[in-house]
Every structure is written in structure tokens, then in C-alpha cells.
Amino acid sequence: MKRSFSAQLLQALIVLLGTLICGLGIQLELFSGAGVDPLTMFEEGMGITTGIATGTIALGVNCVMLLLALFLNRKNIWVGTVITVLLLGPSINLFAGIMNGMGLVPPAGWLGKLGMNIAGVVLCGAGIAIYMLPDYGVGAMEAVMIFLADKLHLPYGPVRIGMDCTWGVLGFFLGGTLGVGTIIGAFGIGASLDICFRWLKKLLGEKIPQGRG
């Protein structure tokens, strides 16, 4: 049954909201100075190596992952996938510009840095859960994650953690920011995603339109 335009618009807006929340979370990690999650560490390292903004590198990584997802998990690719692929990286740059424009500076104390980093990790996982919720096409990274989870018969959380650890090793050799936040991100994003997705699915699963139009 074909969904109405308003239902599909709501799905797209939910995906957009999740993408923006995820972008804000990533920028908070970068800004905290306590280390970044492994994927962002890889993207930051690539940015340092090439002189390109982290958000722009994230856009490129997502495009490459989209090509991979088209081969592995085409059924989960839809309009929402395009939204996340094209807007997640720019949203990181957007929030970086906003924070710089406001003259904000990273927390001076260690507790402040840690608190900001944890908030970023939680928001990143929650953002991913939100844009997965309407089943309007998941992010390219999540399409690969879902493929691996189905093949390995594992929950999303552990699979995401394994993927993040792989990105972290690559990011370390590229010069990305390594810190306690990297460990928090390696385990925290997957955990936040899993918990938030289950909770949101239970709370809102029947109240929002789901599936392709």
C-alpha cells in the first residue's frame, strides 16, 4: 500500500532529525578534546592527512560505504539512506561552524571534557537509532552493520562495537585523536544505539509510519 505524501514527509523529517542529532554528537566529541569515537578518529585522521575538514571526510566515507551497502544490503537502502549519506558529514561541519561562531572553547577541566564526550557519544547513538526508526532506509554504515548482524546472528550493539574497533585501529595510524573518549565511543555508541532503538521502537513503533512508500 502506497503511503501518503505526509507520511513519507514525516519519515524523512525523522531521519533528518536523527542525522542532525548524530552530527551534533560527533562534533561534541571532537570539541571535547577527550578523544573521539573510532569512526570519527579515522575520519579526523584522514582529515589531518589530507587537510580536509572532518565532516567532508565523513561525507566521502559515507559515500564509499553506500556503494558497499548497495552490494551487501540493498533492501535497507532507500530515501533515508540518501539523507544520512549526504547530510551527516555537512551537519558535523555545520555544528563546528556554529560553535566556533559563538566563540565557545573546549572545557578546561578533565571532568568537563569527559562529560561533553559522553554526551556526544550518547547523542550519536541516539541519533542513529532515531534515523533507523521509521525504516525509511538506514544510514550506509548501518546497512552494512545490519547485514553483518543478520549473518552473524548478533544484536546491533556488539556488531557496531566490532566495526568501531576496526575503524579505531585505522584512525590511530592516521593520527586521529586517541583518548579515553575513544574507548567510550568504541563501546558507548553501539550500546546507546541498541538501548535507544529498543526503547524508541517500543514507545513509538506503532505511532509513526514505517517502511518504504
Side-chain angles (χ1 to χ4, degrees):
M1 176 176 156
K2 186 173 178 60
R3 295 194 177 280
S4 66
F5 173 77
S6 60
Q8 294 189 58
L9 179 60
L10 176 58
Q11 288 176 290
L13 290 174
I14 291 171
V15 173
L16 177 59
L17 174 63
T19 301
L20 291 173
I21 291 174
C22 187
L24 174 59
I26 291 171
Q27 178 52 32
L28 286 177
E29 290 181 58
L30 288 164
F31 196 73
S32 72
V36 294
D37 69 86
L39 175 56
T40 304
M41 182 180 172
F42 170 78
E43 294 165 346
E44 183 189 29
M46 282 289 293
I48 292 171
T49 302
T50 61
I52 299 173
T54 301
T56 306
I57 293 293
L59 173 61
V61 169
N62 276 324
C63 287
V64 171
M65 293 302 291
L66 175 59
L67 292 176
L68 180 60
L70 285 171
F71 285 104
L72 298 178
N73 192 10
R74 188 184 298 267
K75 67 180 181 180
N76 285 110
I77 304 299
W78 194 239
V79 176
T81 309
V82 178
I83 294 173
T84 58
V85 165
L86 296 182
L87 296 184
L88 179 57
S91 73
I92 299 171
N93 290 342
L94 170 66
F95 287 114
I98 291 173
M99 294 171 77
N100 289 331
M102 294 174 63
L104 299 178
V105 295
W110 178 246
L111 286 178
K113 291 178 183 292
L114 189 61
M116 178 176 285
N117 186 273
I118 292 173
V121 167
V122 171
L123 284 174
C124 186
I128 295 170
I130 290 170
Y131 68 61
M132 287 178 61
L133 190 63
D135 190 24
Y136 202 50
V138 300
M141 198 73 64
E142 285 66 55
V144 175
M145 176 194 73
I146 290 170
F147 170 81
L148 293 174
D150 288 345
K151 288 295 182 181
L152 298 172
H153 304 291
L154 291 172
Y156 295 150
V159 174
R160 179 62 189 234
I161 289 170
M163 292 173 65
D164 281 346
C165 289
T166 302
W167 288 116
V169 172
L170 296 173
F172 173 77
F173 288 107
L174 287 170
T177 304
L178 177 66
V180 65
T182 307
I183 299 174
I184 294 172
F187 296 94
I189 289 179
S192 175
L193 184 164
D194 207 33
I195 293 170
C196 290
F197 184 79
R198 291 171 185 270
W199 181 73
L200 289 170
K201 190 76 172 176
K202 182 178 180 180
L203 183 68
L204 301 173
E206 297 180 356
K207 298 179 182 179
I208 63 173
Q210 301 219 349
R212 302 180 183 187

